[in-house]
Amino acid sequence: MTGVGIIIAMRVEARCITPLRLFFNQRTDLGNGAAIWLCGVGAEAAGAAATGLRTAGATALMSFGFAGALHSGLNSGGLMLPESIHTGDCLLPVDLDWRARLQRCLPDHLNVTGGILAASSKVLTSTSAKRDLAESTGAKAVDMESGAVAEVATNAGLPFMAVRAISDPLDFSPPGVLLEAVRPDGSPHLVRLLGLLLKRSLTLGTLLRLASDASAARSTLSTVVRYADAEMRAIRSPASSPGRCIARQQGVGSDRSGGV
């Protein structure tokens, strides 16, 4: 059994794994060789965290957190366990044996989807932007960190997996102005948030909808940890990841969902 390095962008996601108050942008030991790194939002931060965990001895890497839906069939609280990551010009592999073992631990009531997870360099704030990305990549969901973590894992020949819960469905996205009220670790800046509400740049209804969707995603991630904690923290597969792109063409999708 070997230790897993778990990369998480935001504190709200990290609390699904551990009650510890994590230091920002720093490795935290979870026991039994596993570690977590709270890195902040975006590919650059996630790539640096993955490299830091690899240097510290992690022998497998996991991207864990929220994702946005690119498909109308994915609702808030759905679980995305992708079989590959689309980085923009390349499909990178997921360790399918590890993925299958984790999924077998999960309760039947979780709505699990497979296929492609797309990487994005920015927050997608409209349905049209999501549909465009889905059309160009064949992906069913999107996040900003998994692509960078997958690249580090692939280049190092390490097993990789992404565990992502849907926090915003296709028809509802976080408004771009909300980024003005979010700290680097994803926690809300309450004074700025209040200012946006007072200026009516952000409505209370939108904020409540975002909170409800995030709550559904948190519940799903917490369920994954409750049932599959052992598979998350230690990978039993002796094989390493392929260490290469598995495809370079865009628009290649997967209709598989809910298993391998």
Side-chain angles (χ1 to χ4, degrees):
M1 295 176 67
T2 54
V4 175
I6 305 173
I7 294 87
I8 296 186
M10 300 187 293
R11 290 194 184 278
V12 67
E13 299 163 332
R15 285 196 290 271
C16 297
I17 292 181
T18 176
L20 296 174
R21 176 69 179 179
L22 303 178
F23 289 106
F24 183 59
N25 206 20
Q26 182 175 316
R27 179 187 182 277
T28 300
D29 185 18
L30 292 175
N32 296 324
I36 188 172
W37 192 304
L38 176 66
C39 67
V41 175
E44 183 177 357
T51 300
L53 288 168
R54 172 68 183 97
T55 301
T59 51
L61 295 174
M62 175 183 290
S63 170
F64 181 95
F66 295 165
L70 301 180
H71 188 276
S72 59
L74 286 176
N75 298 315
S76 298
L79 180 62
M80 179 70 178
L81 295 180
E83 291 140 329
S84 59
I85 312 296
H86 200 301
T87 65
D89 61 353
C90 185
L91 280 176
L92 295 178
V94 164
D95 187 304
L96 296 180
D97 289 338
W98 186 16
R99 177 190 181 278
R101 287 196 304 272
L102 183 141
Q103 186 174 346
R104 283 196 293 268
C105 296
L106 301 179
D108 292 338
H109 72 264
L110 279 187
N111 180 20
V112 182
T113 298
I116 298 173
L117 176 67
S120 176
S121 61
K122 60 184 179 181
V123 177
L124 301 184
T125 59
S126 70
T127 299
S128 60
K130 290 180 175 180
R131 284 178 173 154
D132 289 345
L133 185 62
E135 184 176 353
S136 66
T137 63
K140 293 183 178 178
V142 58
D143 73 33
M144 298 175 65
E145 294 80 37
S146 293
V149 179
E151 286 182 350
V152 173
T154 301
N155 291 337
L158 299 182
F160 165 78
M161 180 166 57
V163 176
R164 290 278 164 172
I166 301 301
S167 61
D168 53 291
L170 177 65
D171 61 355
F172 186 80
S173 303
V177 69
L178 187 64
L179 298 177
E180 300 175 15
V182 176
R183 293 188 173 92
D185 65 359
S187 59
H189 193 298
L190 296 181
V191 173
R192 293 179 183 174
L193 191 59
L194 180 59
L196 292 176
L197 289 170
L198 291 175
K199 291 188 297 183
R200 297 184 179 179
S201 301
L202 182 68
T203 68
L204 182 59
T206 296
L207 201 58
L208 291 174
R209 172 68 187 274
L210 290 168
S212 175
D213 288 343
S215 177
R218 287 199 311 272
S219 177
T220 293
L221 292 177
S222 295
T223 299
V224 172
V225 174
R226 187 180 314 123
Y227 283 88
D229 183 65
E231 290 295 347
M232 285 182 57
R233 296 187 185 219
I235 182 168
R236 293 166 174 81
S237 172
S240 62
S241 69
R244 58 180 176 81
C245 287
I246 53 178
R248 286 195 177 276
Q249 62 192 79
Q250 293 190 5
V252 178
S254 170
D255 293 327
R256 289 185 291 170
S257 63
V260 253

